[in-house]
Amino acid sequence: MLPSHRAYLALAIPLIISTITTPLLGAVDTAVIGHLSHSAYLGGVAVGTLIFNTLYWLFGFLRVSTSAFTAQAAGAQNNDQGIAALMRPLAIALLIGAVFIVLQKPILLASLQLIHPAQDVAAQAAIYFNIRIWGAPLTLVNYVLLGWLMGLSRVKATLFLQISMNVINMVLAIVFTQMMHWNVTGVASATLIAEILACVLGLALVFRSSIWREWKQSGQMNWRGWFGASELKNVMATNLDLMIRTACLLTMFNLFTARSASFGTDQLAANAILLQIHYIMAYFFDGFANASSIMTGQARGAGERKMLQRVIHLSWFWTLVTSVVTGGLYFALKEPLISLFTDNATVISLTGPYNGWLVVFPLAAGLGLVFYGVFTGMTVTYPIRNSMLISLLCFLIALFWCVPHYGNHGLWLSFIVFALGRSLFLVIYLPRLQRI
C-alpha cells in the first residue's frame, strides 16, 4: 500500500517536533545570553557554537547515513544488516570523539585564528569550548543512536530522546545563568550534562528495541560481515559524499560569521540572532526530510519503485506548503520573535533591516532541505555532493562581489544565493534517481 498524505504527516510531524528542539536549544542559549549585560557574551556563545557546529556537523553523516542504511535494512527485513548499521558508525563515532579531545587545544587556537573575533568575544568563546569539548564522543554517539532509531521508524523513541535532552539543556541553561550567574560557563555546562544524560537514555532505548533483543537471543557476532572491506567501502563512499556536503555548508557558515564579525560585535550579535531563527526554519524542513529519508530507504530496501515515486510526490507537495507558511509566519511575527532573543536596543535595531532575507529563505532553501532526505534515504549521495559544491562556488562569487558593494545586505544576499543553489542543483538530479 502506497503512503498517503496522512501517513507521511504521521511520520513527519513527530520528527519535526523532535528535530526543531535542536535549534530551539540554540535559541534558548542565545536568548539567555542575550539578556545579560554585555554583547560579548552573546558573541562568545555564537563563536563557540560555530566551532562545535564545524566539528560536529562535519560528521553529521553519522546520523544521516545510519538512518538511511537502517531504513533499508528494515525494508528488506534483515536484522543482521540492521545491527551492522548501528555497529559501524558507533565505532567511527567513538574514534572521532577521542581525537577531538586529544587535539582540543590546537582546534581552539586554529578556530579563533580563523574567525578572529574581538578579544573579549574570544575569551568567552574559549570558556565555552573548554567545557563542551569533553562531550565530543557522547555527542557523536548520540548522532548514531538517534539515526538508528529514526531508521527503524521508532518515532516516539526519537521524539522522547531529543526532547528530553534539549529540555534538560534549556532548563539547566536558565538555572545556571539566571539563578547561579555562571554566564557562558553555565550555558556550556548545561549542554555537557544534557549530552551525558542523552547518551545514557539513547543506549537504554536501543537495548529495549525488538531488533536488539532478537539479535542478542541469536548470539551471532558477525564481525566480518559488519566490518568487511566491501561493506565498509559502500558505507565510506556514502559518508564521504555527505562529509563533503557538510564541509561546504560549514565553509559557508564560517565565512558568513567571519564577515559578520568584521562589521563589529553588535552586528555579529544581530546576525547571530537571525541565524538562530534561520536554524529553526531549517530544522522544521528537516523533519520532512527525515520522513522522506525513512520512506525512501524502506522503498529501496523492499524494491518498491512505486513507493519511491509516491514519496517524491509527497515531498514536493509538503515542501511547497511549508515554504509559504514558514515565510508568512516570520513576516507576521518577526518583531516579537526578535525581542525574545535580546533586550539590547542596539542589537534589535541592527536586525531590522535584514528581516526580509529570512522571509525569502524558506522559499529559496525548502526543496534543497527536504530532497536532501530523499537522496540520502536511497543512499544516492553524489548529487548531494555535487549540488553543494556548485552552491558554495556561487556563494563565494556572490560574497566577493556583493559584500564590498552592499555590506551586510550583500552578505545576506550571498546566503540566499547559496540556499537557492542547493535547491535547484539538487532537484535537477531527480529524473536519474527515479530510474534506479
Side-chain angles (χ1 to χ4, degrees):
M1 184 176 178
L2 297 180
S4 63
H5 284 279
R6 185 173 183 177
Y8 184 79
L9 290 177
L11 185 58
I13 290 174
L15 291 172
I16 290 170
I17 297 171
S18 173
T19 55
I20 207 169
T21 57
T22 298
L24 282 177
L25 168 63
V28 168
D29 286 352
T30 302
V32 167
I33 292 298
H35 285 282
L36 296 179
S37 58
H38 200 285
S39 59
Y41 292 134
L42 181 57
V45 171
V47 171
T49 301
L50 175 64
I51 296 172
F52 283 104
N53 285 347
T54 304
L55 293 177
Y56 294 151
W57 285 5
L58 193 59
F59 298 95
F61 64 78
L62 290 169
R63 185 196 67 76
V64 176
S65 65
T66 299
S67 179
F69 284 115
T70 305
Q72 291 179 16
Q77 298 182 344
N78 189 318
N79 281 356
D80 187 63
Q81 288 183 11
I83 295 297
L86 174 66
M87 294 299 185
R88 294 186 193 115
L90 272 181
I92 297 172
L94 290 171
L95 177 61
I96 295 170
V99 171
F100 282 169
I101 289 178
V102 171
L103 299 179
Q104 59 181 282
K105 289 186 178 180
I107 289 172
L108 176 60
L109 290 175
S111 300
L112 293 179
Q113 284 293 324
L114 178 64
I115 301 171
H116 200 63
Q119 187 174 357
D120 54 349
V121 174
Q124 297 301 320
I127 293 172
Y128 185 86
F129 178 90
N130 289 331
I131 295 172
R132 278 203 60 188
I133 191 62
W134 293 100
L138 300 177
T139 298
L140 297 178
V141 166
N142 286 338
Y143 283 1
V144 175
L145 300 178
L146 185 63
W148 195 72
L149 292 169
M150 282 185 176
L152 293 176
S153 298
R154 293 285 307 277
V155 177
K156 291 182 179 179
T158 300
L159 184 62
F160 179 66
L161 178 60
Q162 282 285 85
I163 290 180
S164 296
M165 180 182 73
N166 290 323
V167 167
I168 290 171
N169 199 337
M170 292 175 192
V171 171
L172 290 178
I174 293 171
V175 170
F176 291 163
T177 57
Q178 301 299 310
M179 298 176 62
M180 302 178 69
H181 307 292
W182 288 2
N183 299 332
V184 172
T185 299
V187 172
S189 299
T191 303
L192 177 60
I193 293 170
E195 287 167 343
I196 294 170
L197 295 176
C199 188
V200 173
L201 180 58
L203 288 171
L205 291 171
V206 167
F207 295 153
R208 293 184 60 185
S209 66
S210 59
I211 185 174
W212 181 270
R213 292 197 302 268
E214 290 172 6
W215 171 73
K216 287 291 290 183
Q217 290 174 358
S218 69
Q220 296 179 350
M221 298 287 288
N222 188 15
W223 296 106
R224 181 174 297 180
W226 296 346
F227 298 100
S230 61
E231 290 79 8
L232 286 177
K233 182 179 179 180
N234 183 33
V235 171
M236 293 310 296
T238 298
N239 288 341
L240 179 60
D241 286 339
L242 296 177
M243 191 173 183
I244 292 172
R245 171 259 182 191
T246 307
C248 292
L249 190 62
L250 290 172
T251 299
M252 186 276 294
F253 277 117
N254 286 344
L255 290 173
F256 185 96
T257 302
R259 285 302 182 100
S260 294
S262 72
F263 295 131
T265 300
D266 288 332
Q267 189 63 70
L268 171 63
N271 280 358
I273 289 173
L274 294 174
L275 277 182
Q276 288 296 339
I277 297 172
H278 137 270
Y279 287 131
I280 294 173
M281 294 180 179
Y283 276 86
F284 195 86
F285 284 102
D286 198 46
F288 288 102
N290 287 330
S292 296
S293 178
I294 292 169
M295 286 187 168
T296 54
Q298 291 172 348
R300 180 161 192 175
E304 291 285 349
R305 185 180 297 273
K306 289 184 178 180
M307 181 178 178
L308 170 62
Q309 294 173 343
R310 176 60 175 170
V311 175
I312 290 174
H313 170 77
L314 293 170
S315 300
W316 272 106
F317 179 84
W318 287 106
T319 298
L320 296 176
V321 170
T322 305
S323 297
V324 173
V325 171
T326 305
L329 283 175
Y330 182 72
F331 179 77
L333 301 174
K334 54 185 181 296
E335 285 86 4
L337 187 58
I338 293 293
S339 66
L340 292 176
F341 287 88
T342 183
D343 51 12
N344 186 312
T346 301
V347 173
I348 292 174
S349 67
L350 287 173
T351 63
Y354 310 104
N355 280 320
W357 296 112
L358 287 192
V359 175
V360 175
F361 171 75
L363 300 172
L367 290 174
L369 292 168
V370 174
F371 278 87
Y372 165 70
V374 172
F375 281 86
T376 54
M378 293 288 289
T379 56
V380 179
T381 50
Y382 75 90
I384 297 171
R385 176 199 65 206
N386 294 348
S387 65
M388 292 296 284
L389 286 169
I390 299 171
S391 298
L392 179 60
L393 178 61
C394 293
F395 172 79
L396 292 173
I397 294 171
L399 191 72
F400 178 78
W401 190 84
C402 294
V403 173
H405 289 83
Y406 303 109
N408 200 46
H409 274 296
L411 181 59
W412 279 102
L413 175 59
S414 303
F415 179 82
I416 294 300
V417 166
F418 179 86
L420 182 62
R422 67 190 293 194
S423 292
L424 296 179
F425 297 129
L426 181 60
V427 168
I428 61 175
Y429 282 98
L430 269 179
R432 301 186 193 183
L433 184 68
Q434 296 179 76
R435 291 196 296 266
I436 294 175

